[in-house]
Amino acid sequence: MPTEAETRNMKMLTMKMQYKVLLLMVAGGTILLSFGIHQRVLQLHIFRHFCPKAAASDSLVENPVVAKVESSKDVITEYIKHFVPLKDPLQRKVQSNEELIKHIISEIDQLVPKVSFTHMDNTTCVGKSRVSILNPKDRYCTGDNLTLQIDMYDYLGNRKKYGGDFLRARIYSPHLGAGASGKITDFRNGSYLVHLTLFWEGKVKISLLLIHPSEAVVALWRGRNSGFKYVNHRAKFSSPTQSIDTACGYDLHTEEEVCEYMGKKDEYPFYCVKPQQMSCSSLTHVASSFTQHSYLTALEKPLFDRSHIRAEIPHGLPDLVVLKCTNESAPGKEVCKTGMELQFPGGHFYQNIWQPVSCSMKRFTSQDEINGCLRGKSLRLIGDSTLIQWMKYFTETVKTLKDLDLYDEGWQKSLLKVDPDRNIQIRFQKHGDPFVSMAFYSVLENPTIPEQIAQVGGNKHTMIVFTAATHFKPFPLHIFIRRVINIRKAIQELLLRSPNTKVVLKTENTSFQDHNFEKISDFNGYVQYLVMNWMLQGLDIGTVDAWDMTIAMATNNVHPPPNVIENEINLLLTFLC
């Protein structure tokens, strides 16, 4: 290990190099390349950090991203090979849903590195990562863009030659209740760019996390798409004289006679063992639970120890002091509405209030304001427990809403709140399978999201909100893609018959990774987040981007705290009113 003096000297080591500014931003499969006109000489402070397992070499490796190039054409040739953009699946003409599903999975598969390792020493080590500011300034102003470069190394001090690390970046100011997500570009060679916008004035901290090393991402991607063994299903068949439990699943291996249940609109079939002397139509309830099965190898399992999950990358960068460098007021923005293009990051928190980038969000801070917006409206929430949180928020905030008992059971039961005086109705219903719940629930009242949307006639008084997230994570991705294809078709049909109906997507939340890393990792959720946004682009819907919000505030819980829920609902009501 180097001495304290040597470490201090290394931190002060500078490199002078000429370069043209490259900003590569990726949005929905589109690459935007912009190049600086003038060359500059920068001093890049390279911060070295050491894992306890081994000391790194003292030699500095040439920065692979900031390189001298001769022309814009050379820049494109040099850098495009570092990144394969994920193409918009809707721009590809396909003959069938099956072809579209295969195409989307193939596009994602190209972004997952095809690597293997023989020892943990060959995997990503955050302690030896190098972080540098590509565009340092003597003074930072609100609205400035800050670009960082992260270069990854393994435990032996060897520079990583491939990408695929699952990273997360944010800036935050705890005393201001402020936070914003960062956008990350993977050059697929061990180097990453982090793009941060300095939205607010004050002291700003930087957080860089390695959620999973690339070797774990490879294992997660392979495991998820290897089969259906992460979840067990049980079924209850009932008749006037008996009730029998049997095994069920999407891939049921048995010699016994089975019942096949094919959902509407080309959904994937579900099977149950048929009880003797009972019909397949006597199925009434199902339940499910996680198994102990793992698709990981013995070598891969240590990658999912807690010490390797959500590891902070020690960057050594000081807090930034951001100034308001102009007295000019920000230009006015239109009120947020459905049909706006989704951006990432799409906003930031300041004083615990969400501030969208491209539009203005209204605030509904009192019962009277919420009632004024909801008067004469019918809200249908379709999803999971994160939308039950919304129902609880309405109950606690709007005392005039009354609960109607729908005689359902379990935590996932349907809910209905009404205010007859103001003609307000808010209904929650869980989305159909897959839905992981140890408590039995009725399959007779278990329609999928597209089936529920298809049941809505629609009018200017109606808003539909839906989410599909955590319950899909333990299953192969093709199950999720198939469902999203049908959601898109159902929304298109709804808006054709009733263009005035409002439709809103609530995206995935980030979650607290304390167990079941292999089955419900945020990496699986992030892939679903991308697929959902790609597949629904171009529709006249609103998006409550819970993924962006929960990264910005580092909630790290599938059930975010009340201040995040309040902002989600404020954005929802802005779309409505």
Side-chain angles (χ1 to χ4, degrees):
M1 294 291 290
T3 65
E4 182 178 351
E6 289 172 334
T7 301
R8 185 167 57 252
N9 289 336
M10 281 188 288
K11 287 187 176 181
M12 296 302 296
L13 183 63
T14 61
M15 299 174 59
K16 292 186 178 181
M17 57 183 66
Q18 292 183 324
Y19 78 113
K20 292 184 178 181
V21 178
L22 167 68
L23 289 180
L24 187 150
M25 302 296 288
V26 182
T30 301
I31 295 183
L32 173 62
L33 294 172
S34 60
F35 306 96
I37 298 175
H38 303 289
Q39 293 182 336
R40 295 180 56 196
V41 177
L42 290 185
Q43 290 185 324
L44 300 181
H45 293 267
I46 308 298
F47 296 92
R48 302 289 299 277
H49 303 279
F50 298 88
C51 290
K53 299 190 70 171
S57 168
D58 289 337
S59 62
L60 286 173
V61 179
E62 181 183 359
N63 188 317
V65 177
V66 183
K68 185 176 181 180
V69 292
E70 300 302 327
S71 67
S72 294
K73 181 177 179 181
D74 291 332
V75 170
I76 296 175
T77 302
E78 180 68 21
Y79 290 108
I80 201 70
K81 66 183 181 182
H82 292 300
F83 185 81
V84 177
L86 196 55
K87 303 177 183 67
D88 175 3
L90 300 181
Q91 298 301 315
R92 178 183 172 90
K93 293 183 178 180
V94 294
Q95 301 300 317
S96 66
N97 285 353
E98 298 304 321
E99 185 181 352
L100 178 57
I101 291 168
K102 290 179 181 178
H103 169 66
I104 295 173
I105 292 177
S106 174
E107 291 291 335
I108 297 172
D109 185 66
Q110 292 181 42
L111 299 182
V112 178
K114 306 299 183 290
V115 298
S116 59
F117 65 101
T118 57
H119 194 278
M120 283 290 292
D121 284 348
N122 305 127
T123 65
T124 305
C125 170
V126 294
K128 290 186 177 177
S129 63
R130 300 177 181 180
V131 180
S132 56
I133 299 178
L134 294 190
N135 56 340
K137 294 183 176 182
D138 294 331
R139 184 178 72 162
Y140 293 98
C141 301
T142 54
D144 283 352
N145 294 314
L146 183 71
T147 304
L148 309 179
Q149 179 172 326
I150 305 175
D151 297 314
M152 289 300 194
Y153 290 76
D154 66 17
Y155 283 85
L156 298 178
N158 300 311
R159 192 182 180 285
K160 298 293 291 290
K161 297 181 179 180
Y162 51 87
D165 294 301
F166 184 37
L167 304 174
R168 185 171 296 165
R170 64 186 286 257
I171 54 173
Y172 63 105
S173 300
H175 63 292
L176 296 174
S181 305
K183 190 178 184 70
I184 298 171
T185 300
D186 182 352
F187 282 89
R188 306 182 76 193
N189 63 356
S191 289
Y192 304 82
L193 291 187
V194 178
H195 309 278
L196 301 163
T197 301
L198 305 178
F199 288 108
W200 62 87
E201 180 183 4
K203 184 176 289 188
V204 174
K205 298 177 180 293
I206 299 172
S207 171
L208 304 173
L209 297 178
L210 175 65
I211 307 299
H212 293 296
S214 52
E215 294 78 14
V217 167
V218 172
L220 288 169
W221 177 244
R222 186 195 69 246
R224 178 177 189 176
N225 295 297
S226 292
F228 295 89
K229 294 183 179 180
Y230 286 147
V231 177
N232 268 338
H233 295 84
R234 300 291 299 174
K236 184 177 293 185
F237 289 80
S238 301
S239 73
T241 59
Q242 61 181 332
S243 178
I244 299 177
D245 290 2
T246 71
C248 293
Y250 289 98
D251 187 22
L252 196 59
H253 296 282
T254 179
E255 297 297 325
E256 300 181 76
E257 184 180 1
V258 299
C259 298
E260 177 180 309
Y261 301 94
M262 174 64 78
K264 298 178 182 178
K265 295 183 180 292
D266 302 320
E267 291 286 352
Y268 201 75
F270 186 78
Y271 304 93
C272 293
V273 173
K274 181 181 179 297
Q276 294 183 2
Q277 300 179 345
M278 295 187 75
S279 68
C280 291
S281 61
S282 60
L283 172 66
T284 59
H285 293 77
V286 294
S288 53
S289 59
F290 289 116
T291 70
Q292 297 300 313
H293 183 82
S294 174
Y295 290 106
L296 302 177
T297 66
L299 187 60
E300 291 168 337
K301 287 183 178 179
L303 292 171
F304 296 90
D305 292 342
R306 294 192 182 191
S307 60
H308 293 102
I309 307 293
R310 205 188 298 275
E312 188 79 36
I313 299 174
H315 51 70
L317 302 176
D319 294 347
L320 302 179
V321 177
V322 181
L323 306 174
K324 185 177 181 181
C325 302
T326 176
N327 292 324
E328 295 181 6
S329 57
K333 294 182 286 189
E334 64 176 321
V335 175
C336 299
K337 60 184 180 181
T338 60
M340 287 185 161
E341 183 178 352
L342 183 65
Q343 296 177 286
F344 188 90
H348 68 280
F349 279 97
Y350 185 75
Q351 295 181 346
N352 292 312
I353 298 172
W354 183 247
Q355 311 282 343
V357 168
S358 58
C359 59
S360 174
M361 183 183 79
K362 299 178 183 178
R363 293 190 65 200
F364 299 82
T365 58
S366 69
Q367 174 176 285
D368 289 343
E369 289 175 331
I370 296 175
N371 272 333
C373 177
L374 292 178
R375 181 182 290 273
K377 299 295 192 299
S378 173
L379 268 63
R380 297 192 58 155
L381 311 183
I382 310 168
D384 54 28
S385 58
T386 61
L387 289 186
I388 294 178
Q389 283 188 280
W390 287 21
M391 295 293 282
K392 291 180 178 178
Y393 177 86
F394 282 123
T395 298
E396 295 169 357
T397 308
V398 185
K399 304 300 183 182
T400 54
L401 287 170
K402 307 299 181 185
D403 290 319
L404 290 187
D405 192 344
L406 300 178
Y407 304 104
D408 204 349
E409 296 179 352
W411 66 266
Q412 74 278 33
K413 66 182 180 181
S414 297
L415 303 170
L416 177 61
K417 301 179 184 298
V418 299
D419 180 346
D421 295 335
R422 296 172 180 81
N423 195 21
I424 298 171
Q425 181 183 117
I426 307 176
R427 176 188 295 269
F428 165 81
Q429 188 169 1
K430 61 177 285 296
H431 65 64
D433 293 326
F435 197 91
V436 182
S437 171
M438 295 181 67
F440 278 99
Y441 56 84
S442 172
V443 298
L444 303 177
E445 299 177 1
N446 188 44
T448 63
I449 294 172
E451 288 172 342
Q452 293 189 50
I453 293 175
Q455 294 170 359
V456 177
N459 53 54
K460 65 180 181 179
H461 307 289
T462 300
M463 171 179 272
I464 297 173
V465 184
F466 68 93
T467 189
T470 299
H471 293 270
F472 287 83
K473 289 181 183 179
F475 299 94
L477 184 61
H478 68 81
I479 296 290
F480 181 79
I481 298 174
R482 192 181 304 272
R483 184 63 50 82
V484 177
I485 290 173
N486 290 329
I487 289 173
R488 180 182 176 88
K489 291 178 181 177
I491 294 173
Q492 288 176 315
E493 293 168 358
L494 169 64
L495 295 180
L496 280 174
R497 65 178 177 267
S498 179
N500 292 326
T501 302
K502 297 288 181 66
V503 181
V504 174
L505 161 68
K506 188 198 78 68
T507 70
E508 297 259 350
N509 296 339
T510 57
S511 61
F512 179 52
Q513 297 281 268
D514 62 343
H515 67 291
N516 282 334
F517 300 124
E518 180 182 353
K519 300 176 179 66
I520 55 173
S521 165
D522 267 359
F523 171 73
N524 290 356
Y526 179 60
V527 171
Q528 293 179 176
Y529 171 79
L530 293 178
V531 169
M532 182 73 82
N533 290 330
W534 297 327
M535 292 302 299
L536 299 187
Q537 60 187 306
L539 296 179
D540 184 14
I541 67 173
T543 301
V544 175
D545 196 343
W547 185 267
D548 193 1
M549 290 184 181
T550 52
I551 289 178
M553 292 301 278
T555 57
N556 300 329
N557 194 321
V558 71
H559 298 118
N563 68 304
V564 174
I565 300 300
E566 179 180 2
N567 280 280
E568 290 176 347
I569 290 179
N570 276 333
L571 184 54
L572 172 78
L573 296 180
T574 301
F575 290 136
L576 182 61
C577 305

